Amino acid sequence: MSVSFRCRVAIPILLWSSFATGQVAQAPASGGTLQQEADYRVVAARCGTPAFEKGFTRQSRAMVAAGLVGSTKDPVAAEKAITALRRNPYRLIATPADCRAELVALAALQKQRTRFVKTPRGR
């Protein structure tokens, strides 16, 4: 079993398990959640439409600003860390065929997060 195959299989499972159990938005912030949030943003950018990416990123930044993601109380430091932790999108999503499952997981995560943070609609 190659490493790239494991990554393609592990990421959807991690996305599914994290939002299905409700741990992403409810868990106390830890250093690992910043990496996970960076991965979510990369997947949204790689697989989603520009509108989906913009909405997901806006909601993600609101979660960070509210202190629900990240171990630091400083949202600026958390945003800098998330930007620094972004991975290569081709390593997370090897083929466009993997995007469908990723987008379903991200849409469900985004829907779950609406309970915690209200973001302004586009003007």
Side-chain angles (χ1 to χ4, degrees):
M1 190 179 285
S2 70
V3 173
S4 65
F5 178 74
R6 283 190 218 146
C7 290
R8 284 186 278 170
V9 173
I11 296 299
I13 292 171
L14 289 174
L15 287 173
W16 174 256
S17 65
S18 63
F19 86 83
T21 59
Q23 293 176 352
V24 173
Q26 296 172 358
S30 66
T33 59
L34 292 177
Q35 179 65 58
Q36 190 174 29
E37 195 66 26
D39 290 346
Y40 288 155
R41 290 184 188 180
V42 169
V43 169
R46 169 100 163 96
C47 296
T49 63
F52 179 82
E53 176 192 3
K54 184 177 178 180
F56 187 85
T57 302
R58 182 179 294 144
Q59 186 185 51
S60 174
R61 286 185 177 156
M63 293 281 291
V64 171
L68 299 172
V69 174
S71 59
T72 64
K73 296 293 181 186
D74 183 22
V76 175
E79 281 295 331
K80 285 182 181 179
I82 288 172
T83 302
L85 291 171
R86 287 184 69 133
R87 297 182 198 184
N88 183 351
Y90 297 106
R91 295 188 116 189
L92 290 174
I93 309 294
T95 64
D98 298 335
C99 282
R100 178 168 284 184
E102 298 293 335
L103 282 177
V104 169
L106 284 179
L109 177 67
Q110 190 175 23
K111 186 175 180 180
Q112 177 192 13
R113 285 180 168 184
T114 57
R115 297 182 301 177
F116 299 102
V117 176
K118 301 291 184 194
T119 57
R121 302 264 177 182
R123 296 177 190 193

